[in-house]
Structures are given as structure tokens and as C-alpha cells.
């Protein structure tokens, strides 16, 4: 199923527009006003589902229910927060939403240093440069971090970064295991598939540990709790930032075990060591062999949701960087056509 991310009533791109993209049948959505750590009420999830259904699409994925930093840090408050997370999962199941995409990145979600890199064709795209990141002054909080959605004051951010000084990669793995051991059984009994998203970019930033960076890490996640409900989001663009990641091989190994529950299929071009820019979706424009990725998904029996993920800003469109309508719609149709060709019109 080809899906499209929608940011709710605040999104300038309406469901009425999205439903006009011929291939799109599912929406990837969330409840953006609920504070991190609180449980999501069933009536709110059901209302979101009803709104999507009213536009002849289905709410295919929740992306995401954020994992509270106290859980990642292993603090004493984590049990209460995990209980709330479990209740959100139960309510997803009651509402009939089958997939939950989430991440375990400390403090910062996906990170870019340029929200409008000018490409050769005149479009603009998201880009990342490790050297540029190193020049960002965090003493002012997140004010200087391009596009960062979660605002931290200087004092709040300092306390959080200080707390992570005692958390290395091994401890973060332990804290992830503690979380999964408690939430996966709830997901399994609720009919919800957990889909952990790789770290983006797939390396440490600001000295913080990042652990979900390659195929071996993704496989390790699925063995912590060996249940079909414990799976991953395969994100081509995130993993491709590291040239050592063999995307098709990762898909085949995890797909053969039925552990890929969601696929983000966007393209990037590496422009140096730990630098990259996002591109148009077709293979020729970046470093992702999209046909090889989709062939591996198809060959391993993947039947879950796929989304074109981020897009360029094209044709004079303005809006939330990475989340315009036009290029994501082009990407959705490209992925649909590629999948149809691989499947032989089945």
C-alpha cells in the first residue's frame, strides 16, 4: 500500500488533495498535541481514523508515539511512562490502526543542517553536513538547529545532554531492551506491529549515542523480543547515508523473517564524508538503487505500507521543508509504478 504522511488539521495539504494522488490509499498520521509521555485516548485516535476514512483512505500507520527521554535514560519514572505507552498501543489496536513507527534516538529526532539546499534543477531539498552541525551552538538551546520541532531552552537542553553523559551505547541498548520487553507483548496482543525507525543520520551527533545505524543493529532489535510484532521501519534514505549499508541485503535478511512492517523509500546523494542531500526519488538522481530495494521487498513477501517519505520543494511550492505536496506525490507515483513493474502487474 502506498501511503502519505499527513500532519492533521494544521497541515496545509488537505486529505482532499492527498486522495487525488492515484496510488495513495493510506495515511500516516499522529496526534501532535498530546504531550510526550501521556497516553493517547481511544476517542482521539478513532476520530483521526474517521476523518481519514471519510476521505476514502485508511489510517495505516501512526508515526509516531514519541518515546520519553526518561525511558531512553533508564530513569525511575520509566515504568509509569511505559505503562502510558502500552495504553496508547492498546488504543491503537482498538481503533484498528495496525502499525506504529517510532524511534529511539536520544534528544534529537532526524537532523538536517540545511532545509533548502539548492539543487542543480532549481528545486530545494533537505541536506546534512557533519562539519556544519559541529558549528551549531547548543548553548542557546535548540534555537540554532534548523527545523527542530521540539524546543528546548538552553537550561533544559544542558540538563538533558548532561544526563546522557552517563549513557553509552551499551546502556542505551539495555534501556531499549527494557522498553521492548514490556511493550511488544502488549502490541502483539493488540494486533499492532511495532516498527522501529533507524537513526537519521546513522551515526552519533553532538556526542550522543546512536545505536540503530545498520543492518546488524536492526536484526539485533528483532531478537530482543522474538515476536512478529517486534519489527522495523526500513528507511532507505536514513541507512543510505552510510555507504557501508547494503540496502537490498538488509531488506532480504529482515524481510525473510517478516520483520519489515513499514518502508520509507526516499533517495539521497552522498556529497562527502558524513554529508548528503536529499534528491528526487528515482534511482538515477541519488545513491539508492530503488529498484533493487523494492525488488527485495517484493521478493520477501512485503505487503505493508510504503511511503515516499520526504520530498524536494518544486514548482514554486512553499511550506514545511521536506513535506510539500508535489514532489512527494511524484515519488508516490514513481514507487507505485516501479512496484507494479516488479510485480508484473499482479
Amino acid at each position: 500500500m502506498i501511503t502519505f504522511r499527513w500532519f492533521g488539521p494544521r497541515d496545509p495539504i488537505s486529505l482532499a488533495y492527498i486522495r487525488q494522488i492515484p496510488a495513495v490509499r493510506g495515511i500516516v498520521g499522529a496526534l501532535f498535541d498530546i504531550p510526550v509521555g501521556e497516553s493517547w485516548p481511544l476517542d482521539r485516535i478513532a476520530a483521526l481514523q474517521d476523518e481519514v476514512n471519510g476521505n476514502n483512505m485508511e489510517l495505516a500507520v501512526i508515526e509516531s508515539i514519541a518515546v520519553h527521554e526518561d525511558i531512553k535514560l533508564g530513569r525511575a519514572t520509566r515504568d509509569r511512562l511505559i505503562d502510558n505507552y502500552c495504553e496508547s498501543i492498546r488504543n491503537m489496536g482498538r481503533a484498528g490502526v495496525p502499525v506504529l513507527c517510532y524511534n529511539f534516538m536520544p534528544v534529537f529526532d532526524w537532523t538536517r543542517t540545511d532545509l533548502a539546499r539548492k539543487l542543480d534543477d532549481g528545486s530545494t531539498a533537505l541536506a546534512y553536513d557533519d562539519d556544519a552541525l559541529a558549528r551549531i551552538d547548543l548553548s542557546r538551546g535548540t534555537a540554532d538547529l534548523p527545523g527542530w520541532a521540539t524546543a528546548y531552552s538552553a537550561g533544559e537542553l544542558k540538563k538533558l545532554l548532561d544526563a546522557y553523559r552517563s549513557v553509552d551505547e551499551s546502556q542505551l541498548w539495555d534501556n531499549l531492551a527494557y522498553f521492548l520487553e514490556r511493550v511488544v507483548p502488549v502490541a502483539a496482543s493488540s494486533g499492532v506491529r511495532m516498527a522501529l525507525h533507524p537513526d537519521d543520520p546513522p551515526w552519533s551527533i553532538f556526542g550522543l549515542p546512536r545505536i540503530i545505524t545498520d543492518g546488524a543493529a536492526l536484526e539485533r532489535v528483532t531478537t530482543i523480543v522474538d515476536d512478529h510484532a517486534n519489527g522495523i521501519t526500513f528507511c532507505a534514505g536514513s541507512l543510505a547515508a552510510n555507504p557501508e549499508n547494503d540496502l537490498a541485503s538488509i531488506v532480504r535478511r529482515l524481510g525473510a523473517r517478516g520483520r519489515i512492517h513499514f518502508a520509507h523509500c526516499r533517495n539521497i546523494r552522498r556529497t562527502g564524508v558524513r554529508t548528503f542531500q536529499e534528491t528526487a526519488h528515482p534511482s538515477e538522481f541519488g545513491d539508492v538503487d530503488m529498484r533493487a530495494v523494492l525488488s527485495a521487498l517484493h521478493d520477501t513477501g512485503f505487503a505493508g505500507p510504503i511511503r515516499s517519505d520526504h520530498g524536494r520543494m518544486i514548482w514554486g511550492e512553499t511550506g514545511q521543508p521536506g513535506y510539500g505536496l508535489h514532489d512527494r506525490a511524484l515519488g508516490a507515483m514513481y514507487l507505485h509504478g516501479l512496484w507494479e513493474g516488479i510485480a508484473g502487474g499482479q
Side-chain angles (χ1 to χ4, degrees), residues 65-141:
I65 301 176
V67 179
H68 197 282
E69 296 300 328
D70 285 7
I71 296 174
K72 300 173 197 173
L73 286 164
R75 287 174 166 166
T77 52
R78 65 181 172 178
D79 287 335
R80 175 182 60 81
L81 294 164
I82 290 173
D83 285 345
N84 288 347
Y85 207 96
C86 288
E87 184 61 17
S88 298
I89 292 172
R90 291 187 190 96
N91 287 337
M92 275 185 61
R94 291 164 182 146
V97 185
V99 177
L100 171 58
C101 175
Y102 69 105
N103 72 72
F104 215 74
M105 289 180 263
V107 187
F108 303 102
D109 203 310
W110 65 269
T111 302
R112 300 291 182 270
T113 55
D114 189 342
L115 302 182
R117 170 74 58 82
K118 190 76 170 286
L119 303 185
D120 290 343
D121 62 5
S123 64
T124 62
L126 303 173
Y128 176 91
D129 185 307
D130 217 41
D131 290 338
L133 191 81
R135 293 192 293 271
I136 293 175
D137 181 7
L138 293 182
S139 69
R140 298 180 59 241

Side-chain angles (χ1 to χ4, degrees), residues 68-73 75 105-108 142 148 150-167 208-209:
H68 197 282
E69 296 300 328
D70 285 7
I71 296 174
K72 300 173 197 173
L73 286 164
R75 287 174 166 166
M105 289 180 263
V107 187
F108 303 102
T142 53
W148 184 242
T150 302
Y152 291 111
S153 69
E156 290 169 337
L157 185 57
K158 183 178 185 305
K159 287 180 181 178
L160 202 48
L161 293 175
D162 286 346
Y164 272 102
R165 295 187 192 282
S166 62
V167 178
L208 293 163

Side-chain angles (χ1 to χ4, degrees), residues 19-30:
R19 68 182 288 189
Q20 294 175 32
I21 306 169
V24 173
R25 297 290 179 267
I27 288 294
V28 178

Side-chain angles (χ1 to χ4, degrees), residues 214-223 230-234 239 247-261 297 300:
D214 57 22
L218 291 167
E219 290 188 58
R220 178 175 174 178
V221 167
T222 64
T223 62
N230 181 28
I232 64 109
T233 295
F234 175 81
L239 292 166
L247 303 190
S249 176
I250 293 171
V251 170
R252 291 187 185 281
R253 289 179 65 88
L254 285 159
R257 297 175 53 227
R259 294 303 185 90
I260 299 176
H261 297 324
L297 285 167
T300 54

